Amino acid sequence: RAFEPFFTTKGPRGSGLGLSVVWGVVQRHSGEITIDTAEGKGTTLTLRFPIHAGPVESEAPAFHSSPPRRLKILIIDDEPAVRAVLKDFLEAEGHTVAEAADGPAGLAQCEAERFDVVLTDLSMPGMSGWEVAAALKSRAQLPVGLITGWADQVDPAQVAAHRVDFVL
């Protein structure tokens, strides 16, 4: 059950999403993941990916005549490490970033201050990203993006029904 979402042997320390996210990424890249485990000896995970046979064509970067707009972004995610990585990346690009650890806290922040965009985790305990998006869209026309390791499995009908603007 190691690749099953939310299955964990770590108790409250683990979310049970780590290997399921890894499995999803490997599958999307036409790869393979195997587990070799033995009591008292440990566990080895092996990831295999196909080698691309042809040359990789790169596009020239787009030229921007004016600097990109700096945004005020709210990240809602129950995983502190994910919030920290996203925050560091977005701040390095010049954006202002606020964080919330769950849906209700994020909704409260949106009531208290204005944001240009909200990025919310899809799978969170208590209030899912779907619920966060629906609540935000009922209050304001604010762009909302879902963050998930399962983007290829997100139902486009659900995206439209919850008025989600994009999925990462």
Side-chain angles (χ1 to χ4, degrees):
R1 297 179 59 194
F3 300 121
E4 182 180 315
F6 304 108
F7 175 76
T8 181
T9 58
K10 297 178 184 173
R13 290 186 346 215
S15 67
L17 290 174
L19 284 178
S20 64
V21 170
V22 169
W23 181 85
V25 170
V26 170
Q27 292 296 306
R28 282 191 300 281
H29 289 86
S30 302
E32 168 186 310
I33 184 169
T34 58
I35 300 176
D36 181 28
T37 187
E39 186 78 31
K41 293 188 178 187
T43 300
T44 300
L45 290 157
T46 304
L47 288 76
R48 291 184 177 89
F49 296 94
I51 296 173
H52 187 271
V56 177
E57 294 183 30
S58 63
E59 292 182 21
F63 176 77
H64 296 286
S65 59
S66 61
R69 181 174 165 232
R70 305 299 182 205
L71 302 173
K72 186 172 180 184
I73 301 170
L74 174 62
I75 299 169
I76 305 172
D77 198 305
D78 59 314
E79 294 288 336
V82 172
R83 288 195 317 268
V85 167
L86 288 172
K87 182 176 183 177
D88 288 348
F89 175 76
L90 293 167
E91 286 180 341
E93 293 297 314
H95 302 292
T96 301
V97 179
E99 302 175 55
D102 58 34
L107 294 176
Q109 278 186 262
C110 285
E111 290 290 325
E113 53 189 301
R114 190 188 74 72
F115 293 96
D116 296 306
V117 65
V118 173
L119 302 177
T120 180
D121 185 15
L122 175 57
S123 299
M124 295 182 289
M127 184 178 212
S128 73
W130 295 123
E131 294 168 312
V132 169
L136 286 172
K137 290 297 188 169
S138 71
R139 298 175 187 182
Q141 291 305 309
L142 175 66
V144 177
L146 287 180
I147 305 166
T148 178
W150 301 94
D152 62 329
Q153 296 179 18
V154 172
D155 181 1
Q158 264 193 308
V159 171
H162 290 92
R163 298 170 28 214
V164 170
D165 296 282
F166 57 92
V167 178
L168 300 174

